[in-house]
Coordinates of all heavy atoms in Angstrom, one line a residue:
M1341 N -38.3 49.7 24.4 CA -37.1 49.2 23.7 C -36.0 50.3 23.8 O -36.2 51.5 23.6 CB -37.4 49.0 22.2 CG -36.3 48.5 21.5 SD -36.5 48.3 19.7 CE -38.0 47.3 19.7
P1342 N -34.8 49.9 24.3 CA -33.7 50.9 24.4 C -33.4 51.5 23.1 O -33.6 51.0 22.0 CB -32.5 50.0 24.8 CG -33.1 48.8 25.5 CD -34.4 48.6 24.7
T1343 N -32.9 52.7 23.1 CA -32.5 53.5 22.0 C -31.6 52.8 21.0 O -31.8 52.9 19.8 CB -31.9 54.9 22.4 OG1 -32.8 55.5 23.3 CG2 -31.6 55.8 21.2
A1344 N -30.6 52.1 21.5 CA -29.6 51.4 20.7 C -30.3 50.4 19.8 O -30.0 50.2 18.6 CB -28.5 50.8 21.5
L1345 N -31.2 49.6 20.5 CA -31.9 48.6 19.7 C -32.9 49.2 18.7 O -33.1 48.6 17.7 CB -32.6 47.6 20.7 CG -31.7 46.7 21.6 CD1 -32.5 45.9 22.6 CD2 -30.8 45.9 20.7
R1346 N -33.5 50.2 19.1 CA -34.4 50.9 18.1 C -33.7 51.4 16.9 O -34.1 51.2 15.8 CB -35.2 52.1 18.8 CG -36.3 52.6 18.0 CD -37.1 53.7 18.7 NE -37.6 53.2 20.0 CZ -37.4 53.7 21.2 NH1 -36.5 54.7 21.3 NH2 -37.9 53.2 22.2
L1347 N -32.6 52.0 17.2 CA -31.7 52.5 16.1 C -31.2 51.3 15.2 O -31.3 51.4 13.9 CB -30.5 53.2 16.6 CG -29.4 53.7 15.6 CD1 -30.0 54.8 14.6 CD2 -28.2 54.2 16.2
F1348 N -30.8 50.3 15.8 CA -30.4 49.1 15.1 C -31.5 48.5 14.2 O -31.3 48.2 13.1 CB -29.9 48.0 16.1 CG -29.9 46.6 15.5 CD1 -28.9 46.3 14.6 CD2 -30.8 45.7 15.8 CE1 -28.8 45.1 13.9 CE2 -30.7 44.4 15.2 CZ -29.8 44.1 14.3
R1349 N -32.7 48.5 14.8 CA -33.9 48.0 14.0 C -34.1 48.8 12.8 O -34.3 48.3 11.7 CB -35.1 48.0 15.0 CG -36.3 47.5 14.2 CD -37.5 47.3 15.2 NE -38.5 46.5 14.5 CZ -39.8 46.8 14.7 NH1 -40.2 47.7 15.5 NH2 -40.7 46.0 14.0
Y1350 N -34.1 50.1 12.9 CA -34.4 51.0 11.8 C -33.4 50.9 10.7 O -33.7 50.9 9.5 CB -34.5 52.5 12.2 CG -35.7 52.8 13.1 CD1 -35.6 53.8 14.1 CD2 -36.9 52.0 13.1 CE1 -36.7 54.1 15.0 CE2 -37.9 52.3 14.0 CZ -37.8 53.3 14.9 OH -38.9 53.6 15.7
V1351 N -32.1 50.8 11.1 CA -31.0 50.7 10.2 C -31.1 49.3 9.4 O -30.8 49.3 8.3 CB -29.7 51.0 10.9 CG1 -28.5 50.7 9.9 CG2 -29.6 52.4 11.4
A1352 N -31.4 48.2 10.2 CA -31.5 46.9 9.6 C -32.5 46.9 8.5 O -32.3 46.3 7.4 CB -31.7 45.9 10.6
I1353 N -33.7 47.5 8.8 CA -34.8 47.5 7.9 C -34.4 48.4 6.7 O -34.7 48.0 5.5 CB -36.1 48.0 8.5 CG1 -36.5 46.9 9.5 CG2 -37.1 48.3 7.5 CD1 -37.6 47.4 10.5
A1354 N -33.8 49.5 6.9 CA -33.4 50.4 5.8 C -32.3 49.7 4.9 O -32.4 49.9 3.7 CB -32.9 51.7 6.4
E1355 N -31.4 49.0 5.5 CA -30.4 48.3 4.8 C -31.0 47.3 3.9 O -30.6 47.1 2.7 CB -29.3 47.7 5.7 CG -28.1 47.3 5.0 CD -28.1 45.9 4.4 OE1 -29.0 45.1 4.8 OE2 -27.2 45.6 3.7
A1356 N -32.0 46.5 4.4 CA -32.6 45.5 3.6 C -33.4 46.1 2.4 O -33.4 45.6 1.3 CB -33.6 44.7 4.5
C1357 N -34.1 47.3 2.7 CA -34.8 48.0 1.6 C -33.9 48.5 0.5 O -34.2 48.4 -0.7 CB -35.6 49.1 2.2 SG -37.0 48.6 3.2
S1358 N -32.7 49.0 1.0 CA -31.7 49.4 -0.1 C -31.2 48.3 -0.8 O -30.9 48.4 -2.0 CB -30.6 50.2 0.6 OG -29.7 49.4 1.3
W1359 N -31.0 47.1 -0.2 CA -30.6 45.9 -0.9 C -31.6 45.6 -2.0 O -31.2 45.2 -3.1 CB -30.5 44.7 0.0 CG -29.1 44.0 0.1 CD1 -28.5 43.8 1.3 CD2 -28.3 43.5 -0.9 NE1 -27.3 43.1 1.0 CE2 -27.2 43.0 -0.3 CE3 -28.4 43.5 -2.3 CZ2 -26.2 42.3 -1.1 CZ3 -27.4 42.9 -3.0 CH2 -26.3 42.3 -2.4
A1360 N -32.9 45.6 -1.6 CA -34.0 45.3 -2.5 C -34.0 46.3 -3.7 O -34.1 45.9 -4.9 CB -35.3 45.2 -1.8
G1361 N -33.8 47.5 -3.4 CA -33.7 48.5 -4.5 C -32.5 48.3 -5.4 O -32.7 48.4 -6.6
L1362 N -31.4 47.9 -4.9 CA -30.2 47.7 -5.6 C -30.5 46.4 -6.5 O -30.0 46.4 -7.7 CB -29.0 47.5 -4.7 CG -27.6 47.3 -5.5 CD1 -27.4 48.4 -6.4 CD2 -26.5 47.1 -4.4
L1363 N -31.0 45.4 -6.0 CA -31.3 44.2 -6.8 C -32.2 44.5 -7.9 O -32.0 43.9 -9.0 CB -31.9 43.1 -5.8 CG -31.0 42.5 -4.8 CD1 -31.7 41.6 -3.9 CD2 -29.8 41.7 -5.5
V1364 N -33.2 45.3 -7.7 CA -34.2 45.6 -8.8 C -33.4 46.5 -9.8 O -33.5 46.2 -11.0 CB -35.4 46.4 -8.2 CG1 -36.2 47.1 -9.4 CG2 -36.3 45.5 -7.4
G1365 N -32.6 47.4 -9.3 CA -31.8 48.2 -10.3 C -30.8 47.4 -11.1 O -30.7 47.6 -12.3
M1366 N -30.2 46.3 -10.5 CA -29.3 45.4 -11.3 C -30.1 44.6 -12.2 O -29.7 44.3 -13.4 CB -28.5 44.5 -10.2 CG -27.5 45.3 -9.6 SD -26.3 44.4 -8.6 CE -27.3 43.4 -7.5
Y1367 N -31.3 44.2 -11.8 CA -32.2 43.4 -12.8 C -32.5 44.3 -14.0 O -32.4 43.8 -15.2 CB -33.4 43.0 -12.1 CG -34.4 42.3 -12.9 CD1 -34.2 40.9 -13.3 CD2 -35.5 42.9 -13.6 CE1 -35.1 40.2 -14.1 CE2 -36.3 42.3 -14.4 CZ -36.2 40.9 -14.7 OH -37.0 40.3 -15.5
V1368 N -32.9 45.5 -13.7 CA -33.2 46.4 -14.9 C -32.0 46.7 -15.7 O -32.1 46.7 -16.9 CB -33.8 47.7 -14.3 CG1 -34.0 48.8 -15.4 CG2 -35.2 47.4 -13.7
K1369 N -30.9 46.8 -15.1 CA -29.6 47.1 -15.9 C -29.2 46.0 -16.7 O -28.8 46.1 -17.9 CB -28.5 47.6 -14.9 CG -27.2 48.0 -15.6 CD -26.2 48.4 -14.7 CE -24.9 48.7 -15.4 NZ -23.9 49.2 -14.5
Y1370 N -29.1 44.8 -16.1 CA -28.4 43.6 -16.7 C -29.3 42.7 -17.4 O -28.9 42.0 -18.4 CB -27.6 42.9 -15.7 CG -26.4 43.7 -15.1 CD1 -26.4 44.1 -13.8 CD2 -25.4 44.1 -16.0 CE1 -25.4 44.9 -13.3 CE2 -24.3 44.9 -15.5 CZ -24.4 45.3 -14.2 OH -23.3 46.0 -13.7
V1371 N -30.6 42.6 -17.0 CA -31.5 41.6 -17.5 C -32.4 42.3 -18.6 O -32.5 41.9 -19.7 CB -32.3 40.8 -16.5 CG1 -33.3 39.9 -17.2 CG2 -31.4 40.1 -15.6
V1372 N -33.0 43.3 -18.2 CA -33.9 44.1 -19.0 C -33.1 45.0 -20.0 O -33.6 45.4 -21.1 CB -35.0 44.9 -18.2 CG1 -35.9 45.7 -19.1 CG2 -35.8 44.0 -17.3
A1373 N -31.9 45.4 -19.6 CA -31.1 46.3 -20.4 C -31.8 47.6 -20.7 O -31.8 48.1 -21.8 CB -30.6 45.7 -21.6
A1374 N -32.4 48.2 -19.6 CA -33.2 49.4 -19.8 C -32.5 50.6 -19.0 O -33.2 51.6 -18.8 CB -34.6 49.2 -19.2
G1375 N -31.2 50.5 -18.8 CA -30.5 51.7 -18.2 C -30.0 51.3 -16.8 O -30.4 50.3 -16.2
D1376 N -29.2 52.2 -16.3 CA -28.5 51.9 -15.0 C -28.9 52.9 -13.9 O -28.2 53.1 -12.9 CB -27.0 51.8 -15.2 CG -26.4 53.1 -15.7 OD1 -27.2 54.1 -16.0 OD2 -25.2 53.2 -15.6
L1377 N -30.0 53.6 -14.1 CA -30.4 54.7 -13.1 C -30.6 54.1 -11.7 O -30.2 54.6 -10.7 CB -31.6 55.4 -13.5 CG -32.1 56.5 -12.6 CD1 -31.0 57.6 -12.5 CD2 -33.4 57.1 -13.1
G1378 N -31.3 52.9 -11.6 CA -31.5 52.3 -10.3 C -30.2 51.9 -9.6 O -30.0 52.1 -8.4
V1379 N -29.2 51.5 -10.4 CA -27.9 51.1 -9.7 C -27.2 52.4 -9.3 O -26.6 52.4 -8.2 CB -27.0 50.3 -10.7 CG1 -25.6 50.1 -10.1 CG2 -27.7 49.0 -11.0
K1380 N -27.3 53.4 -10.1 CA -26.6 54.7 -9.8 C -27.2 55.3 -8.5 O -26.6 56.0 -7.7 CB -26.8 55.7 -10.9 CG -25.8 55.4 -12.0 CD -25.9 56.5 -13.1 CE -24.9 56.2 -14.2 NZ -25.0 57.2 -15.3
I1381 N -28.5 55.1 -8.3 CA -29.2 55.6 -7.1 C -29.0 54.7 -5.9 O -28.6 55.2 -4.8 CB -30.7 55.8 -7.4 CG1 -30.9 56.9 -8.4 CG2 -31.4 56.2 -6.1 CD1 -32.4 57.1 -8.9
F1382 N -29.4 53.5 -6.1 CA -29.4 52.6 -4.9 C -28.0 52.1 -4.5 O -27.7 51.6 -3.4 CB -30.3 51.4 -5.1 CG -31.8 51.8 -4.9 CD1 -32.6 51.9 -6.0 CD2 -32.3 52.0 -3.7 CE1 -33.9 52.3 -5.9 CE2 -33.6 52.3 -3.5 CZ -34.4 52.5 -4.6
G1383 N -27.0 52.0 -5.4 CA -25.7 51.7 -5.1 C -25.1 52.5 -4.0 O -24.7 51.9 -2.9
P1384 N -24.9 53.8 -4.1 CA -24.4 54.6 -3.0 C -25.3 54.6 -1.7 O -24.7 54.5 -0.7 CB -24.3 56.0 -3.6 CG -24.4 55.8 -5.1 CD -25.1 54.5 -5.3
V1385 N -26.6 54.5 -1.9 CA -27.4 54.5 -0.8 C -27.2 53.2 0.0 O -27.1 53.2 1.2 CB -28.9 54.6 -1.2 CG1 -29.9 54.3 0.0 CG2 -29.2 56.0 -1.8
H1386 N -27.2 52.1 -0.7 CA -26.9 50.8 -0.1 C -25.5 50.8 0.6 O -25.4 50.2 1.7 CB -27.1 49.6 -1.0 CG -26.7 48.3 -0.4 ND1 -27.5 47.8 0.6 CD2 -25.7 47.5 -0.6 CE1 -26.9 46.6 1.0 NE2 -25.8 46.4 0.2
G1387 N -24.6 51.3 -0.1 CA -23.2 51.3 0.5 C -23.1 52.1 1.8 O -22.6 51.6 2.8
A1388 N -23.8 53.2 1.9 CA -23.9 54.0 3.1 C -24.6 53.3 4.2 O -24.2 53.2 5.3 CB -24.5 55.4 2.8
L1389 N -25.7 52.7 3.8 CA -26.5 51.9 4.9 C -25.9 50.7 5.3 O -26.0 50.2 6.4 CB -27.9 51.6 4.3 CG -28.9 52.9 4.3 CD1 -30.1 52.6 3.5 CD2 -29.2 53.4 5.6
F1390 N -25.1 50.1 4.4 CA -24.3 48.9 4.7 C -23.3 49.2 5.9 O -23.2 48.6 6.9 CB -23.6 48.4 3.5 CG -22.6 47.3 3.8 CD1 -23.0 46.0 3.9 CD2 -21.2 47.5 4.0 CE1 -22.1 44.9 4.1 CE2 -20.3 46.5 4.2 CZ -20.8 45.2 4.3
V1391 N -22.6 50.3 5.7 CA -21.6 50.8 6.7 C -22.3 51.2 8.0 O -21.9 50.8 9.1 CB -20.7 51.9 6.2 CG1 -19.9 52.5 7.3 CG2 -19.9 51.4 5.0
L1392 N -23.4 51.9 7.9 CA -24.2 52.3 9.1 C -24.8 51.0 9.8 O -24.8 51.0 11.0 CB -25.4 53.2 8.6 CG -26.2 53.9 9.7 CD1 -25.2 54.7 10.6 CD2 -27.3 54.7 9.1
Y1393 N -25.2 50.0 9.0 CA -25.7 48.8 9.7 C -24.5 48.1 10.5 O -24.7 47.7 11.6 CB -26.2 47.8 8.6 CG -26.5 46.4 9.2 CD1 -27.7 46.2 9.9 CD2 -25.6 45.4 9.2 CE1 -28.0 45.0 10.5 CE2 -25.9 44.1 9.7 CZ -27.1 44.0 10.3 OH -27.3 42.7 11.0
L1394 N -23.3 48.1 10.0 CA -22.2 47.5 10.7 C -22.0 48.3 12.0 O -21.8 47.7 13.1 CB -20.9 47.5 9.9 CG -21.0 46.6 8.6 CD1 -19.7 46.8 7.9 CD2 -21.2 45.1 8.9
A1395 N -22.0 49.6 12.0 CA -21.9 50.4 13.1 C -23.0 50.2 14.1 O -22.8 50.1 15.3 CB -21.7 51.9 12.7
A1396 N -24.2 50.1 13.6 CA -25.4 49.9 14.4 C -25.3 48.5 15.2 O -25.8 48.4 16.3 CB -26.7 50.0 13.7
V1397 N -24.9 47.5 14.5 CA -24.7 46.2 15.2 C -23.7 46.3 16.3 O -24.0 45.8 17.4 CB -24.2 45.1 14.2 CG1 -23.7 43.9 14.9 CG2 -25.3 44.8 13.2
L1398 N -22.6 47.0 16.1 CA -21.6 47.1 17.2 C -22.1 48.0 18.3 O -21.9 47.6 19.5 CB -20.3 47.7 16.6 CG -19.6 46.8 15.6 CD1 -18.4 47.6 15.0 CD2 -19.2 45.5 16.2
Y1399 N -22.9 49.0 18.0 CA -23.5 49.8 19.0 C -24.5 49.1 19.8 O -24.5 49.1 21.1 CB -24.0 51.1 18.4 CG -24.7 52.1 19.3 CD1 -24.0 52.6 20.5 CD2 -26.0 52.4 19.2 CE1 -24.6 53.5 21.3 CE2 -26.6 53.3 20.1 CZ -25.9 53.9 21.2 OH -26.5 54.8 22.0
A1400 N -25.4 48.4 19.2 CA -26.5 47.7 19.9 C -25.9 46.5 20.7 O -26.3 46.2 21.8 CB -27.5 47.1 18.8
A1401 N -24.9 45.9 20.1 CA -24.2 44.8 20.8 C -23.6 45.3 22.1 O -23.7 44.6 23.2 CB -23.1 44.2 19.9
R1402 N -23.0 46.4 22.1 CA -22.4 46.9 23.3 C -23.4 47.3 24.3 O -23.3 47.0 25.5 CB -21.5 48.1 22.9 CG -20.8 48.7 24.1 CD -19.9 49.9 23.7 NE -19.2 50.4 24.9 CZ -17.9 50.4 25.0 NH1 -17.2 50.0 24.0 NH2 -17.4 51.0 26.1
Q1403 N -24.5 47.9 23.9 CA -25.5 48.4 24.8 C -26.3 47.2 25.4 O -26.7 47.2 26.5 CB -26.5 49.4 24.1 CG -25.8 50.6 23.7 CD -25.2 51.4 24.9 OE1 -25.9 51.6 25.9 NE2 -24.0 51.9 24.7
A1404 N -26.6 46.2 24.5 CA -27.4 45.0 24.9 C -26.6 43.9 25.4 O -27.2 42.8 25.8 CB -28.3 44.6 23.7
R1405 N -25.3 44.0 25.4 CA -24.4 43.0 25.9 C -24.5 41.7 25.1 O -24.7 40.6 25.7 CB -24.5 42.8 27.4 CG -24.2 44.0 28.2 CD -24.4 43.8 29.6 NE -24.4 45.0 30.4 CZ -23.3 45.5 31.0 NH1 -22.2 44.7 31.1 NH2 -23.3 46.6 31.7
W1406 N -24.5 41.7 23.8 CA -24.6 40.5 23.0 C -23.3 39.8 23.1 O -22.2 40.4 23.2 CB -24.8 40.9 21.5 CG -26.2 41.5 21.2 CD1 -27.2 41.5 22.1 CD2 -26.6 42.2 20.0 NE1 -28.3 42.2 21.4 CE2 -27.9 42.6 20.2 CE3 -25.9 42.4 18.8 CZ2 -28.6 43.3 19.2 CZ3 -26.6 43.1 17.8 CH2 -27.9 43.5 18.0
S1407 N -23.4 38.5 22.9 CA -22.2 37.6 22.9 C -21.4 37.9 21.6 O -21.8 38.4 20.7 CB -22.5 36.2 23.0 OG -23.2 35.7 21.8
L1408 N -20.1 37.5 21.7 CA -19.3 37.6 20.5 C -19.9 36.9 19.3 O -19.8 37.4 18.2 CB -17.9 37.1 20.8 CG -16.9 37.2 19.6 CD1 -16.7 38.7 19.1 CD2 -15.5 36.6 20.0
G1409 N -20.4 35.7 19.5 CA -21.0 34.9 18.5 C -22.2 35.6 17.8 O -22.3 35.6 16.6
T1410 N -23.0 36.3 18.7 CA -24.2 37.0 18.1 C -23.7 38.2 17.3 O -24.2 38.5 16.3 CB -25.0 37.5 19.3 OG1 -25.5 36.4 20.1 CG2 -26.2 38.3 18.9
V1411 N -22.6 38.9 17.8 CA -22.1 40.0 17.0 C -21.6 39.5 15.7 O -21.9 40.2 14.6 CB -21.0 40.7 17.8 CG1 -20.3 41.8 17.0 CG2 -21.5 41.3 19.1
V1412 N -20.9 38.4 15.6 CA -20.4 37.9 14.4 C -21.5 37.6 13.4 O -21.4 37.9 12.2 CB -19.4 36.7 14.6 CG1 -19.1 36.0 13.3 CG2 -18.2 37.1 15.4
V1413 N -22.6 36.9 13.9 CA -23.7 36.6 13.1 C -24.3 37.8 12.5 O -24.7 37.9 11.3 CB -24.7 35.7 13.8 CG1 -26.0 35.6 13.1 CG2 -24.2 34.4 14.2
G1414 N -24.5 38.9 13.4 CA -25.1 40.1 13.0 C -24.2 40.8 11.8 O -24.8 41.3 10.9
L1415 N -22.9 40.8 12.0 CA -22.1 41.4 11.0 C -22.1 40.6 9.7 O -22.1 41.1 8.6 CB -20.6 41.5 11.5 CG -20.4 42.4 12.7 CD1 -19.0 42.3 13.2 CD2 -20.8 43.8 12.3
V1416 N -22.1 39.2 9.8 CA -22.2 38.4 8.6 C -23.4 38.6 7.9 O -23.5 38.5 6.6 CB -21.9 36.9 9.0 CG1 -22.2 36.0 7.8 CG2 -20.5 36.7 9.4
C1417 N -24.6 38.9 8.6 CA -25.9 39.0 8.0 C -25.9 40.3 7.2 O -26.9 40.5 6.4 CB -26.9 39.1 9.0 SG -27.4 37.5 9.7
S1418 N -24.9 41.1 7.2 CA -24.9 42.3 6.3 C -24.6 41.9 4.9 O -24.8 42.8 4.0 CB -23.8 43.3 6.8 OG -22.5 42.8 6.6
V1419 N -24.0 40.7 4.6 CA -23.6 40.4 3.3 C -24.8 39.8 2.4 O -25.0 40.3 1.3 CB -22.4 39.5 3.3 CG1 -22.0 39.0 1.9 CG2 -21.3 40.2 4.0
P1420 N -25.5 38.7 2.8 CA -26.5 38.2 2.0 C -27.7 39.2 1.9 O -28.0 39.8 2.9 CB -26.9 36.9 2.7 CG -25.9 36.6 3.7 CD -25.2 37.9 4.0
P1421 N -28.3 39.2 0.7 CA -29.4 40.1 0.6 C -30.5 39.8 1.6 O -30.9 38.6 1.7 CB -29.9 39.8 -0.8 CG -28.7 39.3 -1.5 CD -28.0 38.5 -0.5
L1422 N -31.0 40.8 2.3 CA -32.2 40.7 3.2 C -31.9 39.9 4.5 O -32.9 39.8 5.2 CB -33.4 40.2 2.5 CG -33.7 41.0 1.1 CD1 -34.9 40.3 0.5 CD2 -33.9 42.4 1.3
A1423 N -30.7 39.5 4.7 CA -30.4 38.7 5.9 C -30.5 39.6 7.2 O -30.8 39.2 8.3 CB -29.1 38.1 5.8
T1424 N -30.4 40.9 7.0 CA -30.5 41.8 8.2 C -31.9 41.8 8.7 O -32.0 42.0 10.0 CB -30.1 43.3 7.8 OG1 -30.9 43.7 6.7 CG2 -28.7 43.4 7.3
L1425 N -32.9 41.5 7.9 CA -34.3 41.4 8.4 C -34.4 40.2 9.4 O -35.0 40.3 10.4 CB -35.3 41.3 7.3 CG -35.4 42.6 6.4 CD1 -36.4 42.3 5.3 CD2 -35.9 43.8 7.3
W1426 N -33.8 39.1 8.9 CA -33.9 37.9 9.8 C -33.2 38.2 11.1 O -33.7 37.8 12.2 CB -33.2 36.7 9.0 CG -33.0 35.5 9.9 CD1 -33.9 34.6 10.2 CD2 -31.8 35.2 10.6 NE1 -33.4 33.7 11.1 CE2 -32.1 34.0 11.3 CE3 -30.6 35.7 10.7 CZ2 -31.2 33.4 12.2 CZ3 -29.6 35.1 11.6 CH2 -30.0 33.9 12.2
F1427 N -32.0 38.7 11.1 CA -31.2 39.0 12.3 C -32.0 40.0 13.2 O -32.0 39.8 14.4 CB -29.8 39.5 12.0 CG -29.0 39.6 13.2 CD1 -28.5 38.5 13.9 CD2 -28.6 40.9 13.6 CE1 -27.7 38.7 15.0 CE2 -27.8 41.0 14.8 CZ -27.4 39.9 15.5
E1428 N -32.5 41.0 12.6 CA -33.2 42.0 13.4 C -34.4 41.4 14.1 O -34.7 41.7 15.3 CB -33.7 43.2 12.4 CG -34.5 44.3 13.1 CD -36.0 44.0 13.1 OE1 -36.5 43.4 12.1 OE2 -36.6 44.4 14.1
R1429 N -35.2 40.6 13.4 CA -36.3 39.9 14.0 C -35.9 39.0 15.1 O -36.6 38.9 16.1 CB -37.1 39.1 12.9 CG -37.7 39.9 11.8 CD -38.9 40.7 12.3 NE -39.4 41.4 11.2 CZ -39.9 42.6 11.3 NH1 -39.8 43.3 12.4 NH2 -40.4 43.3 10.2
R1430 N -34.8 38.3 14.9 CA -34.3 37.4 16.0 C -33.8 38.2 17.2 O -34.2 37.8 18.3 CB -33.1 36.6 15.4 CG -32.5 35.7 16.3 CD -31.4 34.9 15.6 NE -30.7 34.1 16.6 CZ -29.7 33.4 16.4 NH1 -29.1 33.4 15.2 NH2 -29.1 32.7 17.4
M1431 N -33.2 39.3 17.1 CA -32.8 40.1 18.2 C -34.0 40.7 18.9 O -34.0 40.9 20.1 CB -31.8 41.2 17.8 CG -30.4 40.6 17.4 SD -29.6 39.6 18.6 CE -30.0 38.0 18.2
L1432 N -35.0 41.2 18.1 CA -36.1 41.8 18.7 C -36.9 40.7 19.5 O -37.3 41.0 20.6 CB -37.0 42.3 17.6 CG -38.3 43.1 18.0 CD1 -37.9 44.3 18.8 CD2 -39.2 43.5 16.9
A1433 N -37.0 39.5 19.0 CA -37.7 38.4 19.7 C -36.9 38.2 21.0 O -37.5 37.9 22.1 CB -37.8 37.2 18.9
R1434 N -35.6 38.1 20.9 CA -34.8 37.8 22.1 C -35.0 38.9 23.1 O -35.0 38.6 24.3 CB -33.3 37.7 21.7 CG -32.4 37.4 22.9 CD -31.0 37.4 22.6 NE -30.6 36.3 21.7 CZ -29.4 36.2 21.3 NH1 -28.4 37.0 21.6 NH2 -29.0 35.1 20.5
H1435 N -35.0 40.1 22.7 CA -35.2 41.2 23.7 C -36.6 41.2 24.4 O -36.7 41.6 25.5 CB -34.9 42.6 23.0 CG -35.1 43.8 23.9 ND1 -34.6 43.8 25.2 CD2 -35.7 45.0 23.6 CE1 -35.0 45.0 25.7 NE2 -35.6 45.7 24.8
R1436 N -37.6 40.8 23.7 CA -38.9 40.7 24.2 C -39.2 39.5 25.1 O -40.2 39.5 25.8 CB -39.9 40.8 23.1 CG -40.0 42.1 22.4 CD -41.1 42.2 21.3 NE -41.1 43.5 20.8 CZ -41.9 43.8 19.7 NH1 -42.6 43.0 19.1 NH2 -41.9 45.1 19.3
E1437 N -38.3 38.5 25.0 CA -38.5 37.4 25.9 C -38.3 37.7 27.3 O -37.4 38.5 27.7 CB -37.5 36.2 25.5 CG -37.8 35.5 24.3 CD -36.7 34.5 23.9 OE1 -35.8 34.3 24.8 OE2 -36.8 33.9 22.9
P1438 N -39.2 37.2 28.2 CA -39.0 37.5 29.6 C -37.7 36.9 30.2 O -37.4 35.8 29.8 CB -40.2 36.9 30.3 CG -40.8 35.9 29.3 CD -40.4 36.4 28.0
V1439 N -37.1 37.6 31.0 CA -35.8 37.1 31.6 C -36.2 36.2 32.8 O -36.9 36.7 33.7 CB -34.9 38.3 32.0 CG1 -33.7 37.7 32.7 CG2 -34.6 39.1 30.9
T1440 N -35.7 35.0 32.8 CA -35.9 34.1 34.0 C -34.7 33.9 34.7 O -33.6 33.8 34.2 CB -36.5 32.7 33.5 OG1 -35.5 32.2 32.5 CG2 -37.8 32.9 32.8
A1441 N -34.8 33.8 36.0 CA -33.6 33.7 36.9 C -33.3 32.3 37.2 O -34.0 31.4 37.1 CB -33.8 34.5 38.1

């Protein structure tokens, strides 16, 4: 697997994990009302990984020559929780498919 795709994969997984941590932190803060430590920790982490994910999509797209539509889908997948996992799996499967002429 090319370096750009490997980096994209790691960042996509990390971004999804940070989303999950932030969601748990928000649940604890707003539903359980047991403090906001999770949000204070995972908020900035998720923000940084969100921006890094956007950059990783653009870098991988350039290296793997993704179409504009694929790039747009990848960027949009940064917004819904855990959608980066779906997109990462889709791109990994596409990269592993044999190329037919």
Side-chain angles (χ1 to χ4, degrees):
M1341 179 183 308
T1343 303
L1345 292 176
R1346 188 175 305 119
L1347 174 68
F1348 164 72
R1349 181 174 192 218
Y1350 296 150
V1351 172
I1353 293 168
E1355 194 273 346
C1357 291
S1358 72
W1359 237 131
L1362 183 57
L1363 290 172
V1364 169
M1366 289 189 306
Y1367 176 81
V1368 169
K1369 179 179 180 178
Y1370 296 112
V1371 176
V1372 179
D1376 63 351
L1377 182 61
V1379 174
K1380 284 183 178 179
I1381 292 171
F1382 284 104
V1385 170
H1386 175 67
L1389 287 170
F1390 174 84
V1391 172
L1392 188 58
Y1393 172 80
L1394 297 177
V1397 166
L1398 297 175
Y1399 178 59
R1402 184 177 178 120
Q1403 297 299 314
R1405 299 178 191 260
W1406 294 347
S1407 69
L1408 178 60
T1410 301
V1411 174
V1412 170
V1413 170
L1415 295 174
V1416 169
C1417 282
S1418 66
V1419 177
L1422 310 178
T1424 57
L1425 292 178
W1426 171 81
F1427 185 72
E1428 179 270 326
R1429 297 288 183 220
R1430 183 176 173 186
M1431 291 300 99
L1432 185 63
R1434 181 187 289 182
H1435 178 41
R1436 289 186 176 170
E1437 288 177 1
V1439 177
T1440 57

